[in-house]
Amino acid sequence: MTAFTANTLKELAYFYTNTDRSMLEDKGLVQPGKAGDDRWKRFNHNFDIFILKVSDEDRAVLAAMAMDYAKSFEPQGGAA
């Protein structure tokens, strides 16, 4: 497991801040279109509540999204 560092925390904060509804739609976590907004609207468009209230399966999808996002910040070639 990769160590949790100050940079990891920063990357997660960027993920948290920059994740929008379209990204959630792309992963099937929120149905596309205004009519598909029920779950997102029920949580008042609040990402905190969304993360806490979705199923474990959906939270695993969010975790994978965060990992992919964090990997985009990793230096290429193995050098840190």
mmCIF file of all heavy atoms in Angstrom, residues 33-69:
data_model
loop_
_atom_site.group_PDB
_atom_site.id
_atom_site.type_symbol
_atom_site.label_atom_id
_atom_site.label_comp_id
_atom_site.label_asym_id
_atom_site.label_seq_id
_atom_site.Cartn_x
_atom_site.Cartn_y
_atom_site.Cartn_z
ATOM 1 N N GLY A 33 -28.934 13.582 -16.913
ATOM 2 C CA GLY A 33 -30.109 14.402 -17.178
ATOM 3 C C GLY A 33 -30.821 14.852 -15.922
ATOM 4 O O GLY A 33 -30.660 14.290 -14.843
ATOM 5 N N LYS A 34 -31.603 15.882 -16.087
ATOM 6 C CA LYS A 34 -32.321 16.464 -14.953
ATOM 7 C C LYS A 34 -33.216 15.442 -14.253
ATOM 8 O O LYS A 34 -33.303 15.418 -13.034
ATOM 9 C CB LYS A 34 -33.140 17.664 -15.429
ATOM 10 C CG LYS A 34 -33.662 18.502 -14.310
ATOM 11 C CD LYS A 34 -34.152 19.832 -14.831
ATOM 12 C CE LYS A 34 -34.630 20.710 -13.714
ATOM 13 N NZ LYS A 34 -33.591 21.446 -13.043
ATOM 14 N N ALA A 35 -33.867 14.565 -15.022
ATOM 15 C CA ALA A 35 -34.747 13.557 -14.422
ATOM 16 C C ALA A 35 -33.967 12.535 -13.603
ATOM 17 O O ALA A 35 -34.508 11.909 -12.704
ATOM 18 C CB ALA A 35 -35.555 12.848 -15.505
ATOM 19 N N GLY A 36 -32.692 12.379 -13.903
ATOM 20 C CA GLY A 36 -31.869 11.410 -13.177
ATOM 21 C C GLY A 36 -31.185 11.987 -11.960
ATOM 22 O O GLY A 36 -30.321 11.359 -11.366
ATOM 23 N N ASP A 37 -31.579 13.189 -11.579
ATOM 24 C CA ASP A 37 -30.907 13.928 -10.519
ATOM 25 C C ASP A 37 -31.390 13.558 -9.120
ATOM 26 O O ASP A 37 -30.915 14.102 -8.139
ATOM 27 C CB ASP A 37 -31.116 15.426 -10.752
ATOM 28 C CG ASP A 37 -30.170 16.309 -9.954
ATOM 29 O OD1 ASP A 37 -29.051 15.852 -9.650
ATOM 30 O OD2 ASP A 37 -30.552 17.434 -9.642
ATOM 31 N N ASP A 38 -32.313 12.613 -8.991
ATOM 32 C CA ASP A 38 -32.945 12.339 -7.696
ATOM 33 C C ASP A 38 -31.957 12.139 -6.542
ATOM 34 O O ASP A 38 -32.072 12.785 -5.510
ATOM 35 C CB ASP A 38 -33.856 11.113 -7.774
ATOM 36 C CG ASP A 38 -35.107 11.383 -8.582
ATOM 37 O OD1 ASP A 38 -35.403 12.569 -8.843
ATOM 38 O OD2 ASP A 38 -35.768 10.414 -8.964
ATOM 39 N N ARG A 39 -31.008 11.233 -6.704
ATOM 40 C CA ARG A 39 -30.112 10.935 -5.585
ATOM 41 C C ARG A 39 -29.217 12.122 -5.283
ATOM 42 O O ARG A 39 -29.012 12.479 -4.126
ATOM 43 C CB ARG A 39 -29.293 9.684 -5.889
ATOM 44 C CG ARG A 39 -28.414 9.291 -4.729
ATOM 45 C CD ARG A 39 -27.936 7.882 -4.772
ATOM 46 N NE ARG A 39 -27.235 7.567 -6.005
ATOM 47 C CZ ARG A 39 -26.494 6.484 -6.165
ATOM 48 N NH1 ARG A 39 -26.371 5.631 -5.183
ATOM 49 N NH2 ARG A 39 -25.901 6.242 -7.292
ATOM 50 N N TRP A 40 -28.662 12.735 -6.305
ATOM 51 C CA TRP A 40 -27.772 13.873 -6.105
ATOM 52 C C TRP A 40 -28.532 15.019 -5.440
ATOM 53 O O TRP A 40 -28.051 15.648 -4.509
ATOM 54 C CB TRP A 40 -27.216 14.277 -7.459
ATOM 55 C CG TRP A 40 -26.145 15.311 -7.480
ATOM 56 C CD1 TRP A 40 -26.160 16.450 -8.213
ATOM 57 C CD2 TRP A 40 -24.894 15.311 -6.787
ATOM 58 N NE1 TRP A 40 -25.004 17.153 -8.012
ATOM 59 C CE2 TRP A 40 -24.207 16.479 -7.136
ATOM 60 C CE3 TRP A 40 -24.288 14.436 -5.883
ATOM 61 C CZ2 TRP A 40 -22.959 16.800 -6.635
ATOM 62 C CZ3 TRP A 40 -23.048 14.745 -5.372
ATOM 63 C CH2 TRP A 40 -22.396 15.916 -5.742
ATOM 64 N N LYS A 41 -29.779 15.279 -5.891
ATOM 65 C CA LYS A 41 -30.587 16.357 -5.310
ATOM 66 C C LYS A 41 -30.971 16.015 -3.868
ATOM 67 O O LYS A 41 -30.990 16.877 -3.004
ATOM 68 C CB LYS A 41 -31.840 16.582 -6.160
ATOM 69 C CG LYS A 41 -32.617 17.808 -5.744
ATOM 70 C CD LYS A 41 -33.848 18.146 -6.556
ATOM 71 C CE LYS A 41 -34.153 17.307 -7.719
ATOM 72 N NZ LYS A 41 -35.421 17.630 -8.363
ATOM 73 N N ARG A 42 -31.261 14.751 -3.612
ATOM 74 C CA ARG A 42 -31.664 14.337 -2.261
ATOM 75 C C ARG A 42 -30.562 14.641 -1.251
ATOM 76 O O ARG A 42 -30.823 14.920 -0.093
ATOM 77 C CB ARG A 42 -31.985 12.832 -2.277
ATOM 78 C CG ARG A 42 -32.475 12.284 -0.981
ATOM 79 C CD ARG A 42 -32.836 10.831 -1.115
ATOM 80 N NE ARG A 42 -31.848 10.146 -1.920
ATOM 81 C CZ ARG A 42 -32.008 8.941 -2.464
ATOM 82 N NH1 ARG A 42 -33.116 8.285 -2.276
ATOM 83 N NH2 ARG A 42 -31.069 8.393 -3.183
ATOM 84 N N PHE A 43 -29.308 14.598 -1.709
ATOM 85 C CA PHE A 43 -28.186 14.925 -0.821
ATOM 86 C C PHE A 43 -27.795 16.390 -0.945
ATOM 87 O O PHE A 43 -26.702 16.792 -0.560
ATOM 88 C CB PHE A 43 -26.989 14.022 -1.132
ATOM 89 C CG PHE A 43 -27.279 12.554 -0.959
ATOM 90 C CD1 PHE A 43 -26.787 11.630 -1.867
ATOM 91 C CD2 PHE A 43 -28.051 12.084 0.089
ATOM 92 C CE1 PHE A 43 -27.053 10.268 -1.715
ATOM 93 C CE2 PHE A 43 -28.321 10.739 0.244
ATOM 94 C CZ PHE A 43 -27.820 9.829 -0.665
ATOM 95 N N ASN A 44 -28.719 17.215 -1.498
ATOM 96 C CA ASN A 44 -28.505 18.660 -1.621
ATOM 97 C C ASN A 44 -27.232 19.015 -2.388
ATOM 98 O O ASN A 44 -26.576 20.000 -2.081
ATOM 99 C CB ASN A 44 -28.491 19.327 -0.239
ATOM 100 C CG ASN A 44 -29.794 19.157 0.473
ATOM 101 O OD1 ASN A 44 -30.847 19.282 -0.144
ATOM 102 N ND2 ASN A 44 -29.755 18.841 1.741
ATOM 103 N N HIS A 45 -26.892 18.171 -3.352
ATOM 104 C CA HIS A 45 -25.699 18.377 -4.175
ATOM 105 C C HIS A 45 -24.456 18.504 -3.299
ATOM 106 O O HIS A 45 -23.494 19.163 -3.679
ATOM 107 C CB HIS A 45 -25.851 19.594 -5.093
ATOM 108 C CG HIS A 45 -27.082 19.536 -5.927
ATOM 109 N ND1 HIS A 45 -27.845 20.630 -6.201
ATOM 110 C CD2 HIS A 45 -27.704 18.519 -6.557
ATOM 111 C CE1 HIS A 45 -28.865 20.300 -6.957
ATOM 112 N NE2 HIS A 45 -28.812 19.008 -7.179
ATOM 113 N N ASN A 46 -24.472 17.889 -2.150
ATOM 114 C CA ASN A 46 -23.378 17.963 -1.188
ATOM 115 C C ASN A 46 -22.535 16.699 -1.307
ATOM 116 O O ASN A 46 -22.992 15.606 -0.993
ATOM 117 C CB ASN A 46 -23.963 18.102 0.227
ATOM 118 C CG ASN A 46 -22.905 18.285 1.270
ATOM 119 O OD1 ASN A 46 -21.895 17.605 1.282
ATOM 120 N ND2 ASN A 46 -23.156 19.208 2.179
ATOM 121 N N PHE A 47 -21.295 16.864 -1.756
ATOM 122 C CA PHE A 47 -20.426 15.709 -2.005
ATOM 123 C C PHE A 47 -20.118 14.960 -0.706
ATOM 124 O O PHE A 47 -19.993 13.744 -0.709
ATOM 125 C CB PHE A 47 -19.155 16.174 -2.708
ATOM 126 C CG PHE A 47 -18.405 15.087 -3.434
ATOM 127 C CD1 PHE A 47 -19.057 14.052 -4.080
ATOM 128 C CD2 PHE A 47 -17.027 15.120 -3.489
ATOM 129 C CE1 PHE A 47 -18.362 13.061 -4.765
ATOM 130 C CE2 PHE A 47 -16.315 14.143 -4.155
ATOM 131 C CZ PHE A 47 -16.985 13.111 -4.802
ATOM 132 N N ASP A 48 -19.999 15.683 0.410
ATOM 133 C CA ASP A 48 -19.766 15.020 1.705
ATOM 134 C C ASP A 48 -20.864 13.998 1.989
ATOM 135 O O ASP A 48 -20.588 12.840 2.288
ATOM 136 C CB ASP A 48 -19.771 16.019 2.868
ATOM 137 C CG ASP A 48 -18.636 16.997 2.856
ATOM 138 O OD1 ASP A 48 -17.607 16.694 2.241
ATOM 139 O OD2 ASP A 48 -18.783 18.068 3.456
ATOM 140 N N ILE A 49 -22.091 14.463 1.913
ATOM 141 C CA ILE A 49 -23.228 13.593 2.218
ATOM 142 C C ILE A 49 -23.325 12.479 1.195
ATOM 143 O O ILE A 49 -23.587 11.327 1.539
ATOM 144 C CB ILE A 49 -24.531 14.409 2.299
ATOM 145 C CG1 ILE A 49 -24.437 15.394 3.473
ATOM 146 C CG2 ILE A 49 -25.740 13.499 2.451
ATOM 147 C CD1 ILE A 49 -25.570 16.387 3.545
ATOM 148 N N PHE A 50 -23.087 12.810 -0.071
ATOM 149 C CA PHE A 50 -23.127 11.805 -1.130
ATOM 150 C C PHE A 50 -22.164 10.664 -0.806
ATOM 151 O O PHE A 50 -22.533 9.493 -0.843
ATOM 152 C CB PHE A 50 -22.771 12.458 -2.470
ATOM 153 C CG PHE A 50 -22.905 11.545 -3.644
ATOM 154 C CD1 PHE A 50 -24.152 11.264 -4.179
ATOM 155 C CD2 PHE A 50 -21.790 10.972 -4.229
ATOM 156 C CE1 PHE A 50 -24.287 10.417 -5.273
ATOM 157 C CE2 PHE A 50 -21.909 10.135 -5.324
ATOM 158 C CZ PHE A 50 -23.171 9.858 -5.842
ATOM 159 N N ILE A 51 -20.925 11.001 -0.448
ATOM 160 C CA ILE A 51 -19.913 9.988 -0.130
ATOM 161 C C ILE A 51 -20.365 9.126 1.054
ATOM 162 O O ILE A 51 -20.222 7.909 1.046
ATOM 163 C CB ILE A 51 -18.550 10.649 0.165
ATOM 164 C CG1 ILE A 51 -17.964 11.248 -1.115
ATOM 165 C CG2 ILE A 51 -17.577 9.646 0.784
ATOM 166 C CD1 ILE A 51 -16.771 12.159 -0.877
ATOM 167 N N LEU A 52 -20.907 9.769 2.073
ATOM 168 C CA LEU A 52 -21.300 9.040 3.282
ATOM 169 C C LEU A 52 -22.546 8.180 3.091
ATOM 170 O O LEU A 52 -22.691 7.156 3.750
ATOM 171 C CB LEU A 52 -21.531 10.031 4.427
ATOM 172 C CG LEU A 52 -20.283 10.769 4.914
ATOM 173 C CD1 LEU A 52 -20.683 11.869 5.888
ATOM 174 C CD2 LEU A 52 -19.287 9.807 5.529
ATOM 175 N N LYS A 53 -23.440 8.579 2.195
ATOM 176 C CA LYS A 53 -24.734 7.908 2.085
ATOM 177 C C LYS A 53 -24.834 6.875 0.963
ATOM 178 O O LYS A 53 -25.742 6.056 0.982
ATOM 179 C CB LYS A 53 -25.845 8.951 1.885
ATOM 180 C CG LYS A 53 -26.005 9.899 3.040
ATOM 181 C CD LYS A 53 -26.678 9.234 4.189
ATOM 182 C CE LYS A 53 -26.975 10.231 5.304
ATOM 183 N NZ LYS A 53 -27.763 9.655 6.355
ATOM 184 N N VAL A 54 -23.939 6.911 -0.035
ATOM 185 C CA VAL A 54 -24.062 5.943 -1.126
ATOM 186 C C VAL A 54 -23.677 4.546 -0.634
ATOM 187 O O VAL A 54 -23.069 4.382 0.430
ATOM 188 C CB VAL A 54 -23.216 6.329 -2.362
ATOM 189 C CG1 VAL A 54 -23.708 7.620 -2.972
ATOM 190 C CG2 VAL A 54 -21.740 6.394 -2.053
ATOM 191 N N SER A 55 -24.012 3.566 -1.412
ATOM 192 C CA SER A 55 -23.709 2.180 -1.054
ATOM 193 C C SER A 55 -22.197 1.946 -1.027
ATOM 194 O O SER A 55 -21.418 2.714 -1.593
ATOM 195 C CB SER A 55 -24.338 1.233 -2.087
ATOM 196 O OG SER A 55 -23.673 1.359 -3.338
ATOM 197 N N ASP A 56 -21.802 0.865 -0.367
ATOM 198 C CA ASP A 56 -20.392 0.493 -0.333
ATOM 199 C C ASP A 56 -19.855 0.289 -1.748
ATOM 200 O O ASP A 56 -18.721 0.664 -2.050
ATOM 201 C CB ASP A 56 -20.181 -0.785 0.491
ATOM 202 C CG ASP A 56 -20.379 -0.561 1.981
ATOM 203 O OD1 ASP A 56 -20.346 0.607 2.432
ATOM 204 O OD2 ASP A 56 -20.554 -1.559 2.702
ATOM 205 N N GLU A 57 -20.672 -0.294 -2.609
ATOM 206 C CA GLU A 57 -20.262 -0.533 -3.996
ATOM 207 C C GLU A 57 -19.979 0.799 -4.712
ATOM 208 O O GLU A 57 -18.961 0.946 -5.388
ATOM 209 C CB GLU A 57 -21.347 -1.312 -4.733
ATOM 210 C CG GLU A 57 -21.021 -1.611 -6.176
ATOM 211 C CD GLU A 57 -22.140 -2.391 -6.841
ATOM 212 O OE1 GLU A 57 -22.238 -3.609 -6.602
ATOM 213 O OE2 GLU A 57 -22.911 -1.762 -7.595
ATOM 214 N N ASP A 58 -20.869 1.763 -4.549
ATOM 215 C CA ASP A 58 -20.668 3.064 -5.172
ATOM 216 C C ASP A 58 -19.491 3.809 -4.542
ATOM 217 O O ASP A 58 -18.750 4.507 -5.224
ATOM 218 C CB ASP A 58 -21.933 3.915 -5.083
ATOM 219 C CG ASP A 58 -23.017 3.447 -6.037
ATOM 220 O OD1 ASP A 58 -22.738 2.593 -6.906
ATOM 221 O OD2 ASP A 58 -24.154 3.921 -5.907
ATOM 222 N N ARG A 59 -19.304 3.649 -3.258
ATOM 223 C CA ARG A 59 -18.166 4.278 -2.590
ATOM 224 C C ARG A 59 -16.857 3.683 -3.101
ATOM 225 O O ARG A 59 -15.853 4.381 -3.237
ATOM 226 C CB ARG A 59 -18.295 4.140 -1.068
ATOM 227 C CG ARG A 59 -17.625 5.249 -0.323
ATOM 228 C CD ARG A 59 -17.906 5.320 1.164
ATOM 229 N NE ARG A 59 -18.660 4.251 1.781
ATOM 230 C CZ ARG A 59 -19.972 4.285 1.990
ATOM 231 N NH1 ARG A 59 -20.680 5.327 1.626
ATOM 232 N NH2 ARG A 59 -20.582 3.272 2.558
ATOM 233 N N ALA A 60 -16.871 2.402 -3.443
ATOM 234 C CA ALA A 60 -15.689 1.771 -4.034
ATOM 235 C C ALA A 60 -15.382 2.383 -5.401
ATOM 236 O O ALA A 60 -14.214 2.583 -5.757
ATOM 237 C CB ALA A 60 -15.882 0.267 -4.143
ATOM 238 N N VAL A 61 -16.423 2.704 -6.159
ATOM 239 C CA VAL A 61 -16.234 3.377 -7.456
ATOM 240 C C VAL A 61 -15.614 4.757 -7.219
ATOM 241 O O VAL A 61 -14.673 5.152 -7.919
ATOM 242 C CB VAL A 61 -17.566 3.486 -8.230
ATOM 243 C CG1 VAL A 61 -17.413 4.353 -9.470
ATOM 244 C CG2 VAL A 61 -18.087 2.104 -8.599
ATOM 245 N N LEU A 62 -16.111 5.476 -6.228
ATOM 246 C CA LEU A 62 -15.549 6.785 -5.897
ATOM 247 C C LEU A 62 -14.086 6.666 -5.474
ATOM 248 O O LEU A 62 -13.246 7.486 -5.854
ATOM 249 C CB LEU A 62 -16.355 7.453 -4.780
ATOM 250 C CG LEU A 62 -17.702 8.034 -5.173
ATOM 251 C CD1 LEU A 62 -18.511 8.393 -3.937
ATOM 252 C CD2 LEU A 62 -17.514 9.250 -6.060
ATOM 253 N N ALA A 63 -13.774 5.649 -4.697
ATOM 254 C CA ALA A 63 -12.392 5.437 -4.256
ATOM 255 C C ALA A 63 -11.489 5.166 -5.458
ATOM 256 O O ALA A 63 -10.375 5.694 -5.534
ATOM 257 C CB ALA A 63 -12.322 4.290 -3.256
ATOM 258 N N ALA A 64 -11.964 4.376 -6.405
ATOM 259 C CA ALA A 64 -11.180 4.104 -7.616
ATOM 260 C C ALA A 64 -10.991 5.384 -8.426
ATOM 261 O O ALA A 64 -9.901 5.628 -8.970
ATOM 262 C CB ALA A 64 -11.861 3.026 -8.458
ATOM 263 N N MET A 65 -12.030 6.205 -8.484
ATOM 264 C CA MET A 65 -11.912 7.493 -9.175
ATOM 265 C C MET A 65 -10.838 8.358 -8.506
ATOM 266 O O MET A 65 -10.033 8.994 -9.181
ATOM 267 C CB MET A 65 -13.249 8.236 -9.158
ATOM 268 C CG MET A 65 -14.317 7.657 -10.042
ATOM 269 S SD MET A 65 -15.946 8.457 -9.801
ATOM 270 C CE MET A 65 -15.615 10.136 -10.382
ATOM 271 N N ALA A 66 -10.835 8.386 -7.186
ATOM 272 C CA ALA A 66 -9.854 9.185 -6.442
ATOM 273 C C ALA A 66 -8.446 8.655 -6.680
ATOM 274 O O ALA A 66 -7.499 9.434 -6.858
ATOM 275 C CB ALA A 66 -10.187 9.182 -4.953
ATOM 276 N N MET A 67 -8.294 7.329 -6.698
ATOM 277 C CA MET A 67 -6.977 6.739 -6.952
ATOM 278 C C MET A 67 -6.486 7.099 -8.349
ATOM 279 O O MET A 67 -5.321 7.455 -8.535
ATOM 280 C CB MET A 67 -7.021 5.228 -6.774
ATOM 281 C CG MET A 67 -7.190 4.780 -5.340
ATOM 282 S SD MET A 67 -5.815 5.268 -4.280
ATOM 283 C CE MET A 67 -4.515 4.262 -4.965
ATOM 284 N N ASP A 68 -7.367 6.996 -9.337
ATOM 285 C CA ASP A 68 -6.988 7.362 -10.704
ATOM 286 C C ASP A 68 -6.595 8.833 -10.781
ATOM 287 O O ASP A 68 -5.633 9.194 -11.450
ATOM 288 C CB ASP A 68 -8.135 7.076 -11.677
ATOM 289 C CG ASP A 68 -8.348 5.593 -11.914
ATOM 290 O OD1 ASP A 68 -7.455 4.789 -11.580
ATOM 291 O OD2 ASP A 68 -9.428 5.242 -12.426
ATOM 292 N N TYR A 69 -7.342 9.668 -10.085
ATOM 293 C CA TYR A 69 -7.043 11.090 -10.056
ATOM 294 C C TYR A 69 -5.671 11.326 -9.419
ATOM 295 O O TYR A 69 -4.843 12.068 -9.956
ATOM 296 C CB TYR A 69 -8.139 11.827 -9.288
ATOM 297 C CG TYR A 69 -8.057 13.327 -9.399
ATOM 298 C CD1 TYR A 69 -8.676 13.990 -10.442
ATOM 299 C CD2 TYR A 69 -7.375 14.081 -8.455
ATOM 300 C CE1 TYR A 69 -8.616 15.376 -10.556
ATOM 301 C CE2 TYR A 69 -7.300 15.452 -8.552
ATOM 302 C CZ TYR A 69 -7.919 16.101 -9.602
ATOM 303 O OH TYR A 69 -7.854 17.464 -9.704
#
